[in-house]
C-alpha cells in the first residue's frame, strides 16, 4: 500500500504567474478616490522551510504578540532575520526547474488596520502590492485571496467584500525561493520580503479602470494629437491646451513636445462618473526611421546608465527622496538616459523621469542567466510551459508604465538566452503598444527587436559596427546600434569611455550606450564599512562584483561619474588658445544654448588672474560658432598660462542651481618655464653619511635620509600598484589580465640590489638592479643626485633588462614622510584622481587636500588617488617639482598594505605617509567586464629618464 500527499505550498513550484490577481492596468500617481497606505511596522515570523501547511496565523484573532517586527517596505534579511546572498549569475540553489530547495526561508507577515472613519461605504476596494520577492500568498480577514510571483511587478486583488471598519487582518506569506526565482537571476543581492508599497485603494462605482494615453507629436507641423482610451467612459481635459474631449476621441492642437532635454508636461484630468485621475501628458513620437531611433524626427544619442534600485541600508526598498536624488544626480552629471536593469523600477521613479527629463529603456523582470552553466538546457524562455508567466510579466510592465512619455523603449529582459517565450512577449507588446521600440540584447539577429544591442564590445568592434562592417542578417544591418552595457564601473574606473564617446559621435548608426552601472550595491556594515558578496558567509558568491557603480553605496559620486559627466558634456568647446578663438558646438539633440551662460578665465601658474563673460550665441542643436577670447592680460611673471572656458546654468532649473557647471575646456597658452639648476659643491663624505646641498644620505647605501629638516625614508624605484578590479579582470575573458600576470611575474615583491655608490665631483650616483625573485627580467636603475645648494635634483634613469612582455603597473619613485603630515597642495590636475584613460575630468589648477581626502574609498581597496599632470606638489615640508609633469599619490599605507586589504576598515594608518611620484601609470580600462586599457594607455617597459627637484619649505 502506498499513498502520496500534496502540499498546500505546491503553488511555490508552479510555473504559472499565480492566481486571484486582477488583470494589470495603468498606474496613476494621483486620484480623488481614497487610498490607505499599509506601509509601516508589521509582525513577522521566519520559518526555515515552506512546507508547513499551517495557515492559522492568517485567521482573525491569531495572537502574534511574541512575533518580531519588520518594516514594510523592507527585506527581512536586512532587518536581522537571515542573511543576504549575492551571486552574479549562478543560482544559489540546485538548477532543477521549477523545483526549489526544501530549505526555503519563509516569512509570515501580519498587519492589522482600521479603515479611516470617512472611508466610503459604497463601491469596492483593491489591495495592491507593488513588489514582493519572490512569491507571496495573501489572506485578508481569514480569506485566501490569491498568490503571485513576479517580484518587481504590481499585483492587485479585489477585497472590498472582505473589509470591515476595524480590526482588518492582512496576512502575507512570502517565500524566498519559488519557480519565479528561475526568472529573476539578475546580478544583484537575493533579498526576500515585501519591499515596495502595500496600498488599499477605494474603487468607487464608475471609477477609472485601465486607460491608455496616446500623445503623439508631428515635428513638421508642431502639432500634438491626444487620445485617451479608457475602459470606463469619461472626459479628458487639459486646461493649458483648451482640450475637453470624450475618452476615445482624438484632438490635435499646437503643443511644445516632450523630450529628455525639454520635458514639457501638460497637466490634465481623466474624469469618469465616479473618479477623477490626474494626467501628466507629454507629446512625443518614437520611430525607427532611416535605420535610426528617432524621437520627434530627431535621432537620439543615449548618454545613459544602467540603474539597479539600491540603498545601502534598505536594499531595494527605496523612498521617493532617494529616487529623486538619483534623478537629480543623473541630470547634474549630464546623463540623459536610464535602462532600468533588469526589471521595472518603483513606479515613482518613472514619474520623476517624466518630470525632470530622462529617456527610459524599461526592462522586464526577466533574467535566466544561470542556465548558461548548462548551455541553456531547460531554459524557461524556450519552454512553452513558462510562456504564460513571461507574458504576464511583459503585460504587467507595459500596462503599468504605458502612459509615461519618458519610456521610449521596452526591453524584454536581460541575459535569458533565446527562445519562443521571448518571441511571444515581443509579439504581445507590439500588438498592445506599437508606439515604442523593442530591445533585447540576447536577440543577436534582431528577429524580435528594433535595435541591435551588445554588451561590452571593445572599441575596435564598435567602430566596425559603426562603419557597417559587422555583417549579420540583412535586418540587423539596417538597425541602429547601442551598447546596452559598457564601461564597467567596478572599482577604479571605468577607463576608455572618452574613446567610446568619440566613436558614438563619429558614426550615426551608433546611438550611444549605458554605463554599467549606477550604484555600488554595498550593504552598510559596521565590520567592513560596506559589505559585499561573501561577507555574509554565502555558500556561493561573486565577491565585490556587486560593487560596480558610478556612485558609492552612500550615493557619493565616484571619480568614474565625474569622468563620465565630462566625457558626455552636451557642449563641445575646442581651440588651441594661441589664436584667441574657441569653437563652441551645441551637442544637445533638442535644446538650444539659451539656458547656459559662458565665462572665460585666465590662469597664470594655475591661479586665475582675470575672468569675464564670454558671449556665445543661442546655438540650435548641432550648430557651432567661433567665439573670440579677449586679449590675454599682461604677465610680468612669465609663468605658465592658460584659458579656461566654462558653461554653467544661467538660472535655477528644476534639477540644478544657477552656476551649476555643465561643460568646460582648457587651452594652454604658454608652457611652463623650466629653470636650470646651477651646480654647487659636490657630495661630501662624512662619518656614516654623505651630504649634498640640503640633503643627507646614508654613506653605505646612498639612501636619502633628509632634506633640510625633513626626514625622508625608503626612497626607491617603485613599479607596483594594488591591482584594480579592472587590472584583475574577469576570469572568463580571453584577453590578458595584467593584475594576475603582474603578480605571477612578482612585481609586488621586487628586490633592490645595490651595485654601487659613487661620489663624483658634482654628483652622487647610486646604481641598482631592481628585479623579482625567480625571474631574469630586471630594471637597471640609476639615481643621480645633484644640488645648487638649496634645491636637490634627482634624475632617475631606468633601463629594462630581459624580455619584458607585460606593461608596468607604474614607474616612479616612492618615499616616506612623517606620519604627522596632514595634507598637500599641488599645481596640476585635480581636484580628483585621474589615470591615463580616465583624465578627461582632470582640470589643471591649484588644489589642496588632506591626506585622507586624497584617498578614493573604493568598497574593495585598490590603487586610487593619483593626481595627473602635476607640475609641483608641497607636502610634509617639502616642495617637489617634476621634469616632465608627473603623477602624485600620497597615503598612510603602502601599496602592499592596500593590496592586502579586503575592506577599507582593514587599512590602518601607520607612522609614515607614503608618497609616489610617478613618471608613468598603466591605464585603467574596464576589464572587470569589458576591454582592458587600450594600447595607447599601456605603460610599456622601455628606457626612461625623469627628474624631480626637492626643496624644503620654510615658514
Amino acid at each position: 500500500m502506498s499513498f502520496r500527499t500534496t502540499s498546500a505550498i505546491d503553488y511555490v513550484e508552479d510555473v504559472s504567474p499565480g492566481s486571484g490577481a486582477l488583470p494589470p492596468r495603468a498606474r496613476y500617481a494621483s486620484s480623488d478616490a481614497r487610498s490607505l497606505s499599509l506601509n509601516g511596522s508589521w509582525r513577522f515570523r521566519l520559518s526555515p522551510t515552506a512546507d508547513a501547511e499551517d495557515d492559522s496565523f492568517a485567521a482573525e484573532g491569531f495572537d502574534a504578540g511574541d512575533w518580531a517586527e519588520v518594516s514594510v517596505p523592507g527585506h527581512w534579511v536586512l532587518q536581522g532575520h537571515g542573511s543576504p546572498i549575492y551571486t552574479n549569475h549562478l543560482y544559489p540553489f540546485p538548477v532543477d526547474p521549477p523545483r526549489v530547495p526544501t530549505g526555503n526561508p519563509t516569512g509570515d507577515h501580519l498587519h492589522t488596520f482600521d479603515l479611516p472613519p470617512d472611508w466610503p461605504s459604497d463601491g469596492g476596494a483593491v489591495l495592491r502590492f507593488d513588489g514582493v520577492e519572490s512569491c507571496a500568498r495573501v489572506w485578508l480577514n481569514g480569506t485566501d485571496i490569491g498568490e503571485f510571483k513576479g517580484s518587481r511587478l504590481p499585483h492587485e486583488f479585489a477585497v472590498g467584500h472582505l473589509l470591515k471598519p476595524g480590526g482588518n487582518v492582512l496576512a502575507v506569506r512570502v517565500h524566498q525561493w519559488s519557480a519565479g526565482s528561475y526568472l529573476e537571476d539578475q546580478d544583484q543581492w537575493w533579498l526576500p520580503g515585501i519591499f515596495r508599497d502595500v496600498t488599499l485603494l477605494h474603487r468607487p462605482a464608475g471609477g477609472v479602470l485601465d486607460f491608455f494615453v496616446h500623445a503623439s507629436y508631428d515635428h513638421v507641423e508642431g502639432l500634438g494629437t491626444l487620445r485617451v482610451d479608457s475602459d470606463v467612459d469619461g472626459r479628458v481635459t487639459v486646461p493649458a491646451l483648451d482640450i475637453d474631449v470624450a475618452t476615445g476621441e482624438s484632438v490635435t492642437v499646437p503643443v511644445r513636445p516632450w523630450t529628455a532635454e525639454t520635458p514639457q508636461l501638460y497637466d490634465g484630468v481623466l474624469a469618469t462618473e465616479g473618479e477623477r485621475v490626474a494626467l501628466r501628458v507629454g507629446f512625443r513620437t518614437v520611430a525607427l526611421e532611416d535605420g535610426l531611433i528617432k524621437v520627434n524626427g530627431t535621432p537620439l544619442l543615449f548618454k545613459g546608465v544602467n540603474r539597479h534600485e539600491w540603498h545601502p541600508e534598505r536594499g531595494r526598498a527605496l523612498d521617493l527622496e532617494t529616487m529623486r536624488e538619483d534623478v537629480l544626480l543623473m541630470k547634474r552629471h549630464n546623463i540623459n538616459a536610464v535602462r532600468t536593469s533588469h526589471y521595472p523600477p518603483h513606479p515613482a521613479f518613472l514619474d520623476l523621469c517624466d518630470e525632470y527629463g530622462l529617456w527610459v529603456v524599461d526592462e522586464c523582470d526577466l533574467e535566466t542567466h544561470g542556465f548558461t552553466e548548462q548551455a541553456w538546457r531547460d531554459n524557461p524562455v524556450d519552454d512553452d510551459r513558462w510562456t504564460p508567466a513571461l507574458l504576464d510579466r511583459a503585460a504587467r510592465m507595459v500596462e503599468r508604465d504605458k502612459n509615461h512619455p519618458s519610456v521610449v523603449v521596452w526591453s524584454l529582459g536581460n541575459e535569458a538566452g533565446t527562445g519562443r517565450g521571448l518571441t511571444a512577449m515581443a509579439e504581445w507588446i507590439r500588438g498592445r503598444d506599437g508606439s515604442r521600440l523593442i530591445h533585447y540584447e540576447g536577440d543577436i539577429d534582431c528577429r524580435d527587436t528594433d535595435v541591435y544591442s551588445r554588451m561590452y564590445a571593445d572599441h575596435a568592434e564598435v567602430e566596425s559596427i559603426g562603419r557597417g562592417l559587422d555583417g549579420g542578417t540583412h535586418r540587423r544591418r539596417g538597425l541602429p546600434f547601442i551598447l546596452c552595457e559598457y564601461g564597467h564601473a567596478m572599482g577604479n574606473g571605468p577607463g576608455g569611455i572618452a574613446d567610446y564617446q568619440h566613436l558614438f559621435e563619429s558614426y550615426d548608426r551608433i546611438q550611444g550606450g549605458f554605463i554599467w552601472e549606477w550604484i555600488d550595491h554595498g550593504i552598510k556594515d559596521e565590520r567592513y564599512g560596506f559589505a559585499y558578496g561573501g561577507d555574509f558567509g554565502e555558500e556561493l558568491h561573486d565577491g565585490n562584483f556587486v560593487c560596480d557603480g558610478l556612485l558609492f553605496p552612500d550615493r557619493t559620486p565616484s571619480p568614474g561619474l565625474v569622468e563620465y559627466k565630462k566625457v558626455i558634456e552636451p557642449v563641445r568647446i575646442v581651440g588651441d588658445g594661441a589664436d584667441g578663438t574657441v569653437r563652441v558646438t551645441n551637442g544637445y539633440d533638442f535644446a538650444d544654448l539659451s539656458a547656459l551662460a559662458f565665462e572665460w578665465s585666465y590662469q597664470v601658474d594655475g591661479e586665475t588672474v582675470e575672468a569675464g563673460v564670454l558671449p556665445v550665441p543661442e546655438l540650435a542643436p548641432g550648430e557651432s560658432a567661433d567665439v573670440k577670447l579677449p586679449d590675454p592680460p599682461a604677465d610680468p611673471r612669465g609663468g605658465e598660462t592658460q584659458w579656461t572656458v566654462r558653461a554653467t546654468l544661467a538660472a535655477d532649473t528644476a534639477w540644478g542651481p544657477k552656476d551649476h557647471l555643465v561643460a568646460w575646456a582648457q587651452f594652454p597658452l604658454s608652457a611652463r618655464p623650466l629653470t636650470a639648476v646651477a651646480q654647487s659643491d659636490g657630495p661630501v663624505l662624512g662619518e656614516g653619511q654623505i651630504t649634498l646641498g640640503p640633503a643627507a644620505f646614508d654613506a653605505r647605501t646612498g639612501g636619502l635620509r633628509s632634506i633640510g629638516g625633513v626626514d625622508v625614508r625608503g626612497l626607491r624605484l617603485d613599479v607596483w600598484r594594488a591591482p584594480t578590479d579592472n587590472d584583475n579582470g574577469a576570469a572568463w575573458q580571453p584577453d590578458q589580465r595584467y593584475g594576475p600576470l603582474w603578480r605571477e611575474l612578482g612585481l609586488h615583491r621586487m628586490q633592490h640590489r645595490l651595485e654601487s655608490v659613487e661620489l663624483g665631483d658634482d654628483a652622487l650616483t647610486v646604481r641598482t638592479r631592481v628585479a623579482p625573485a625567480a625571474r631574469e627580467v630586471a630594471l637597471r636603475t640609476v639615481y643621480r643626485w645633484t644640488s645648487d645648494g638649496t634645491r636637490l635634483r634627482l634624475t632617475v634613469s631606468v633601463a629594462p633588462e630581459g624580455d619584458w612582455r607585460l606593461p608596468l603597473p607604474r614607474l616612479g619613485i616612492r618615499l616616506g614622510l612623517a606620519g604627522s603630515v596632514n595634507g598637500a597642495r599641488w599645481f596640476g590636475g585635480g581636484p580628483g584622481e585621474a589615470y591615463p584613460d580616465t583624465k578627461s575630468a582632470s582640470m589643471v589648477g591649484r588644489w589642496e587636500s588632506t591626506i585622507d581626502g586624497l584617498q578614493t574609498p573604493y568598497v574593495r581597496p585598490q590603487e586610487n588617488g593619483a593626481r595627473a599632470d602635476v607640475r609641483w606638489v608641497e607636502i610634509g615640508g617639502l616642495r617637489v617639482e617634476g621634469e616632465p609633469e608627473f603623477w602624485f599619490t600620497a597615503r598612510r599605507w603602502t601599496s602592499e598594505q592596500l593590496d592586502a586589504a579586503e575592506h577599507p576598515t582593514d587599512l590602518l594608518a601607520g607612522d609614515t605617509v607614503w608618497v609616489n611620484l610617478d613618471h608613468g601609470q598603466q591605464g585603467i580600462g574596464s576589464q572587470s567586464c569589458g576591454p582592458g586599457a587600450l594600447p595607447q594607455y599601456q605603460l610599456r617597459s622601455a628606457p626612461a629618464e625623469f627628474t624631480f627637484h626637492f626643496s624644503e619649505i620654510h615658514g
Side-chain angles (χ1 to χ4, degrees):
M1 178 179 180
S2 65
F3 65 91
R4 179 178 180 272
T5 62
T6 59
S7 168
I9 54 89
D10 283 349
Y11 65 88
V12 173
E13 296 182 340
D14 190 336
V15 299
S16 75
S19 64
L22 295 169
R25 63 180 180 133
R27 165 71 180 249
Y28 43 89
S30 176
S31 162
D32 66 352
R34 291 296 304 274
S35 66
L36 177 65
S37 172
L38 301 182
N39 296 345
S41 180
W42 290 42
R43 291 290 184 174
F44 176 78
R45 176 183 66 185
L46 181 63
S47 301
T49 68
D51 59 3
E53 297 185 33
D54 180 13
D55 56 12
S56 61
F57 81 102
E60 297 179 85
F62 181 83
D63 183 6
D66 60 345
W67 285 22
E69 293 189 11
V70 294
S71 293
V72 170
H75 305 278
W76 70 68
V77 293
L78 297 182
Q79 300 183 62
H81 306 279
S83 298
I85 299 169
Y86 168 61
T87 59
N88 167 31
H89 78 280
L90 296 175
Y91 289 106
F93 48 80
V95 179
D96 184 23
R99 299 169 187 84
V100 295
T102 301
N104 186 0
T106 295
D108 290 333
H109 298 69
L110 274 178
H111 186 62
T112 302
F113 64 93
D114 300 329
L115 296 179
D118 57 349
W119 188 266
S121 58
D122 62 330
V126 164
L127 176 64
R128 184 174 66 211
F129 295 88
D130 279 312
V132 182
E133 183 176 332
S134 72
C135 173
R137 185 179 179 188
V138 186
W139 297 262
L140 181 62
N141 292 330
T143 298
D144 185 349
I145 61 175
E147 33 78 23
F148 62 89
K149 308 175 191 75
S151 297
R152 285 153 280 277
L153 296 163
H155 294 83
E156 293 182 330
F157 298 88
V159 297
H161 60 295
L162 299 175
L163 290 173
K164 55 187 182 180
N168 292 283
V169 177
L170 176 59
V172 184
R173 174 166 284 168
V174 180
H175 307 282
Q176 175 157 18
W177 310 122
S178 70
S181 301
Y182 285 98
L183 305 180
E184 297 172 5
D185 187 20
Q186 292 146 324
D187 186 12
Q188 60 183 339
W189 294 96
W190 299 88
L191 299 174
I194 306 171
F195 67 94
R196 286 186 185 161
D197 305 293
V198 182
T199 312
L200 183 69
L201 304 169
H202 176 241
R203 304 312 303 138
V208 174
L209 294 177
D210 190 25
F211 64 96
F212 198 160
V213 177
H214 304 274
S216 61
Y217 180 69
D218 182 339
H219 66 278
V220 177
E221 301 294 333
L223 300 176
T225 299
L226 176 66
R227 186 184 82 247
V228 178
D229 296 332
S230 174
D231 287 355
V232 177
D233 291 342
R235 295 198 68 80
V236 176
T237 56
V238 184
L241 299 176
D242 293 326
I243 290 176
D244 186 345
V245 295
T247 54
E249 294 184 6
S250 296
V251 58
T252 300
V253 295
V255 298
R256 294 174 58 195
W258 188 98
T259 75
E261 296 166 8
T262 56
Q264 175 66 51
L265 293 173
Y266 292 94
D267 291 326
V269 173
L270 166 60
T272 64
E273 180 182 357
E275 186 176 10
R276 293 170 59 85
V277 170
L279 305 177
R280 304 207 78 189
V281 181
F283 292 88
R284 55 104 186 98
T285 295
V286 183
L288 179 63
E289 295 177 352
D290 306 318
L292 298 173
I293 305 167
K294 293 185 179 181
V295 172
N296 304 335
T298 298
L300 299 184
L301 183 60
F302 291 122
K303 303 171 181 178
V305 291
N306 287 276
R307 175 185 176 269
H308 270 294
E309 295 184 304
W310 188 251
H311 187 280
E313 296 174 82
R314 300 191 299 272
R316 288 188 286 278
L318 298 190
D319 60 9
L320 179 62
E321 287 314 304
T322 297
M323 291 183 271
R324 189 186 307 276
E325 184 179 359
D326 278 350
V327 171
L328 293 178
L329 280 168
M330 290 176 189
K331 295 291 289 187
R332 290 170 184 170
H333 287 85
N334 295 329
I335 290 164
N336 72 0
V338 181
R339 176 177 174 232
T340 68
S341 53
H342 298 295
Y343 41 82
H346 190 291
F349 180 77
L350 296 180
D351 293 335
L352 296 169
C353 293
D354 293 343
E355 177 183 352
Y356 292 102
L358 288 168
W359 307 115
V360 175
V361 176
D362 197 355
E363 192 148 273
C364 194
D365 190 11
L366 173 62
E367 180 168 337
T368 63
H369 199 174
F371 284 90
T372 58
E373 295 298 307
Q374 53 201 59
W376 297 108
R377 187 176 60 258
D378 296 329
N379 185 10
V381 304
D382 199 28
D383 183 334
D384 291 340
R385 294 175 301 167
W386 294 80
T387 299
L390 303 182
L391 291 173
D392 180 75
R393 289 171 183 248
R396 291 188 181 280
M397 172 183 69
V398 171
E399 302 295 7
R400 190 196 77 168
D401 297 342
K402 59 182 178 281
N403 295 327
H404 289 282
S406 57
V407 177
V408 293
V409 177
W410 299 117
S411 179
L412 303 180
N414 184 69
E415 293 177 320
T418 57
R420 292 162 288 176
L422 289 164
T423 299
M425 293 169 70
E427 290 175 349
W428 184 91
I429 292 173
R430 281 201 175 88
R432 179 57 172 150
D433 177 27
S435 69
R436 295 175 173 93
L437 306 185
I438 293 179
H439 165 272
Y440 177 65
E441 180 268 343
D443 184 10
I444 196 69
D445 292 327
C446 302
R447 181 183 63 176
D448 299 322
T449 58
D450 303 306
V451 182
Y452 178 29
S453 175
R454 290 284 303 282
M455 297 179 180
Y456 308 109
D458 63 26
H459 300 77
E461 184 178 3
V462 170
E463 182 166 21
S464 177
I465 293 169
R467 296 174 63 191
L469 303 177
D470 55 303
T473 64
H474 176 75
R475 171 172 169 76
R476 193 182 84 181
R477 292 198 303 274
L479 294 180
F481 175 77
I482 65 169
L483 278 171
C484 68
E485 295 179 21
Y486 82 109
H488 199 253
M490 185 176 176
N492 187 335
I497 57 174
D499 305 88
Y500 273 118
Q501 191 66 25
H502 175 72
L503 294 172
F504 299 166
E505 296 176 6
S506 298
Y507 297 97
D508 291 343
R509 184 190 184 191
I510 306 174
Q511 294 197 253
F514 298 80
I515 293 286
W516 185 268
E517 64 167 301
W518 177 236
I519 187 169
D520 288 342
H521 304 201
I523 295 176
K524 189 172 182 180
D525 188 286
E526 63 182 13
R527 300 167 297 169
Y528 306 124
F530 294 107
Y532 51 77
D535 288 337
F536 298 97
E538 300 102 305
E539 182 180 44
L540 293 174
H541 67 85
D542 286 288
N544 67 313
F545 202 70
V546 77
C547 295
D548 47 13
L550 294 171
L551 294 181
F552 295 122
D554 62 1
R555 284 182 161 72
T556 300
S558 74
L561 180 56
V562 177
E563 174 80 356
Y564 193 41
K565 174 188 177 181
K566 173 62 179 166
V567 165
I568 61 175
E569 60 189 9
V571 180
R572 295 301 186 199
I573 308 167
V574 298
D576 63 10
D579 65 358
T581 301
V582 296
R583 168 156 284 208
V584 179
T585 300
N586 180 356
Y588 287 111
D589 291 328
F590 298 92
D592 63 25
L593 298 188
S594 59
L596 301 182
F598 291 79
E599 64 177 29
W600 61 267
S601 59
Y602 185 78
Q603 290 84 37
V604 177
D605 288 338
E607 293 185 310
T608 296
V609 296
E610 284 194 27
V613 174
L614 186 68
V616 174
E618 295 180 358
L619 300 170
E623 287 188 343
S624 299
D626 292 327
V627 182
K628 186 70 174 175
L629 294 167
D631 293 333
D635 175 25
R637 292 181 288 178
E640 177 180 354
T641 59
Q642 69 179 11
W643 297 100
T644 301
V645 176
R646 293 176 171 85
T648 61
L649 290 181
D652 290 347
T653 70
W655 52 265
K658 182 179 183 294
D659 299 327
H660 167 77
L661 183 62
V662 174
W664 59 272
Q666 291 185 311
F667 312 103
L669 192 58
S670 63
R672 175 171 59 118
L674 297 178
T675 57
V677 178
Q679 295 301 117
S680 181
D681 294 336
V684 177
L685 178 61
E687 186 174 344
Q689 73 174 16
I690 300 166
T691 57
L692 176 63
F697 299 81
D698 184 280
R700 183 178 60 85
T701 65
L704 178 65
R705 288 178 171 176
S706 63
I707 301 173
V710 179
D711 291 337
V712 179
R713 67 191 71 167
L715 187 150
R716 63 183 187 180
L717 187 79
D718 192 18
V719 299
W720 180 245
R721 73 183 188 193
T724 67
D725 291 314
N726 288 304
D727 290 336
N728 287 331
W732 63 80
Q733 294 176 333
D735 299 334
Q736 285 188 315
R737 297 181 295 122
Y738 290 124
L741 292 174
W742 288 337
R743 204 178 299 276
E744 181 181 344
L745 183 59
L747 299 189
H748 60 307
R749 48 177 175 78
M750 298 288 273
Q751 298 184 20
H752 297 248
R753 187 181 78 207
L754 177 63
E755 296 189 326
S756 67
V757 177
E758 303 168 6
L759 279 68
D761 292 338
D762 61 352
L764 169 64
T765 302
V766 180
R767 302 183 186 276
T768 66
R769 185 178 188 271
V770 183
R775 307 294 178 184
E776 62 178 357
V777 296
L779 299 171
R780 292 279 182 179
T781 306
V782 179
Y783 308 88
R784 187 174 189 274
W785 299 93
T786 58
S787 176
D788 63 1
T790 302
R791 293 196 299 170
L792 183 68
R793 175 185 174 114
L794 167 63
T795 296
V796 181
S797 301
V798 180
E801 185 179 86
D803 186 10
W804 283 89
R805 299 184 179 183
L806 301 177
L808 296 172
R810 66 172 359 120
L811 181 66
I813 60 170
R814 179 169 76 179
L815 58 91
L817 299 175
S820 58
V821 173
N822 290 320
R825 298 176 61 245
W826 72 97
F827 172 28
E833 75 179 26
Y835 291 82
D837 55 352
T838 66
K839 56 184 278 190
S840 298
S842 182
M843 180 182 286
V844 174
R846 292 202 184 192
W847 310 100
E848 60 181 287
S849 172
T850 64
I851 300 300
D852 293 339
L854 289 170
Q855 315 311 309
T856 303
Y858 293 112
V859 176
R860 187 193 72 81
Q862 56 198 271
E863 167 62 33
N864 73 89
R867 269 56 180 181
D869 303 317
V870 176
R871 282 74 164 157
W872 55 256
V873 60
E874 294 178 346
I875 180 170
L878 287 182
R879 179 183 175 96
V880 185
E881 301 173 59
E883 297 178 23
E885 295 154 2
F886 59 98
W887 310 82
F888 155 68
T889 309
R891 53 176 68 104
R892 299 189 184 279
W893 34 78
T894 64
S895 295
E896 291 77 14
Q897 291 168 327
L898 186 63
D899 184 22
E902 296 293 332
H903 298 87
T905 49
D906 296 332
L907 294 167
L908 303 177
D911 61 357
T912 303
V913 168
W914 293 99
V915 178
N916 278 91
L917 308 171
D918 290 316
H919 175 64
Q921 276 272 0
Q922 165 78 357
I924 297 296
S926 62
Q927 203 174 0
S928 53
C929 192
L934 289 168
Q936 61 265 36
Y937 304 121
Q938 294 180 9
L939 182 60
R940 290 294 171 180
S941 182
E945 185 172 282
F946 47 94
T947 296
F948 297 104
H949 300 270
F950 301 86
S951 57
E952 184 180 8
I953 302 170
H954 298 282

